[in-house]
């Protein structure tokens, strides 16, 4: 992998909630052309984040968190002598954990002034109008009477998964919370190979399940059937979440939902062709293969270019 040739992203609203798209993708270069020319030997640092919001106002959380995360990481690249990824592993992990914490704090602004009324889909074809109430101090969106039979109250508790890739020279660092997967794709002797390099944070992850049981057994548990985090005590009892780490969850931190990312660094090889992050993409392997083949056809290259791709559905 010699240099970054192109950056592409694609998101789709999917089919669960009609035209509502809670995905967010942002890619930035840490250094301007002038900054690169002033610093001999410095290589451009690319920062890309892919987020999948969930819950009422999840799309707002994803946008705020993604913007803040990339902005903070680019600033850290400039402050670190232009070699962010050359730090010792523990120091790099700490720096990215701090960036995720900043993104989490930025996303909590959604709770400060939420819209009093909102139109939100309750299935693939229909929407309901909700009004914000605070019975017993709980922020709840309640549907209009005309829709109350088909959709109930929705608690204002939202968040987002997040997968961030940082590429500088032949170094790649992946940091993620939640279950938005990233795969490093290689092309060797005409064969496409992909290796997942992210960590899924949910109840099916043994370490995460043990953490929830060890630290939060008085208020939350991991459901046996789906691996969801289930709150059974307190004012948020009955609330379930499919992930155990995410950004933007204001009220579930006390029940074990962390914003601290899993971090992995590696050196890229000449056969590494592209990095693909998929939010909830069905038939993802077909998508990966099509990306690589189009890369060969359109760019006329295979092993000397890197593509950061994001796709969601």
């Amino acid at each position: 992998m010699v240099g970054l040739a192109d950056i592409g992203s694609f998101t789709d609203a999917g089919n669960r909630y009609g035209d509502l798209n809670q995905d967010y993708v942002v890619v930035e270069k840490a250094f301007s052309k002038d900054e690169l020319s002033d610093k001999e030997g410095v290589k451009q640092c690319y920062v890309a984040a892919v987020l999948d919001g969930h819950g009422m106002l999840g799309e707002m959380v994803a946008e705020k968190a993604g913007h803040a995360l990339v902005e903070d990481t680019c600033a850290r690249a400039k402050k670190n002598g232009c070699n962010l990824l050359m730090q010792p592993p523990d120091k790099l992990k700490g720096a990215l954990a701090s960036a995720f914490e900043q993104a989490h704090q930025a996303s909590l602004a959604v709770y400060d002034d939420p819209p009093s009324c909102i139109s939100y889909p309750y299935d693939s074809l229909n929407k309901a109008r909700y009004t914000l109430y605070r019975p017993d101090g709980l922020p709840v969106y309640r549907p209009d009477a005309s829709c109350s039979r088909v959709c109930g109250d929705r608690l204002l508790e939202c968040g987002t998964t997040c997968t961030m890739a940082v590429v500088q020279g032949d170094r790649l660092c992946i940091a993620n919370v939640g279950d938005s997967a990233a795969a490093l794709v290689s092309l060797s002797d005409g064969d496409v190979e992909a290796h997942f390099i992210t960590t899924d944070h949910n109840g099916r992850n043994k370490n995460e399940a043990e953490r929830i049981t060890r630290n939060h057994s008085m208020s939350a548990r991991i459901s046996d059937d789906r691996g969801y985090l289930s709150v059974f005590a307190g004012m948020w009892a009955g609330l379930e979440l499919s992930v155990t780490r995410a950004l933007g969850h204001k009220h579930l931190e006390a029940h074990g939902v962390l914003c601290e990312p899993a971090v992995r660094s590696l050196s890229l090889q000449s056969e590494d062709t592209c990095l693909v992050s998929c939010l909830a993409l069905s038939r993802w392997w077909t998508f990966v293969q099509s990306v690589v083949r189009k890369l060969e056809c359109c760019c006329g290259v295979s092993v000397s270019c890197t593509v950061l791709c994001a796709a969601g559905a």
Side-chain angles (χ1 to χ4, degrees), residues 9-237:
S9 65
F10 170 78
T11 67
D12 185 76
N15 54 21
R16 184 179 182 183
Y17 290 125
D19 59 358
L20 177 65
N21 190 343
Q22 294 185 308
D23 305 340
Y24 186 73
V25 181
V26 56
V27 184
E28 293 289 347
K29 299 176 183 179
F31 306 109
S32 66
K33 290 183 178 180
D34 290 340
E35 288 173 323
L36 287 177
S37 62
D38 290 341
K39 303 181 189 308
E40 185 177 354
V42 174
K43 294 183 178 180
Q44 183 61 269
C45 182
Y46 298 87
V47 184
V50 178
L51 303 95
D52 186 8
H54 48 258
M56 191 78 81
L57 307 186
E59 64 279 6
M60 295 173 63
V61 166
E63 182 175 356
K64 286 183 179 295
H67 177 77
L69 178 63
V70 170
E71 185 179 66
D72 186 271
T73 304
C74 286
R76 291 175 188 273
K78 293 182 179 182
K79 291 179 181 179
N80 194 64
C82 307
N83 291 304
L84 177 65
L85 301 189
M86 298 307 293
Q87 297 183 85
D90 289 346
K91 189 173 182 180
L92 176 59
K93 182 177 180 180
L96 296 183
S98 294
F100 268 68
E101 175 64 30
Q102 290 296 320
H104 174 63
Q105 293 300 324
S107 68
L108 295 182
V110 169
Y111 298 90
D112 294 338
D113 188 25
S116 59
C117 294
I118 188 172
S119 180
Y120 194 84
Y122 57 85
D123 60 28
S124 61
L125 298 176
N126 301 290
K127 293 183 179 181
R129 186 163 181 81
Y130 292 80
T131 301
L132 183 64
Y133 293 89
R134 297 185 182 273
D136 301 321
L138 277 176
V140 173
Y141 276 104
R142 182 164 296 164
D144 289 349
S146 59
C147 298
S148 60
R149 291 185 178 180
V150 293
C151 53
D153 291 354
R154 297 183 65 96
L155 293 171
L156 177 53
E157 177 63 20
C158 49
T160 182
T161 67
C162 180
T163 296
M164 180 175 70
V166 184
V167 179
Q168 189 170 30
D170 65 351
R171 297 290 296 170
L172 165 67
C173 183
I174 288 285
N176 82 286
V177 292
D179 57 3
S180 295
L184 183 61
V185 183
S186 303
L187 187 62
S188 179
D189 297 326
D191 294 328
V192 179
E193 298 180 356
H195 303 279
F196 285 108
I197 54 177
T198 45
T199 300
D200 279 354
H201 296 122
N202 53 42
R204 295 189 177 92
N205 179 321
K206 180 181 178 181
N207 292 333
E208 287 296 283
E210 290 178 349
R211 178 179 65 81
I212 296 298
T213 301
R214 182 175 60 252
N215 300 330
H216 302 280
S217 60
M218 300 300 292
S219 65
R221 65 171 68 94
I222 299 297
S223 63
D224 295 331
D225 53 347
R226 296 181 296 173
Y228 281 23
L229 174 74
S230 177
V231 179
F232 63 84
M235 63 191 309
W236 294 93

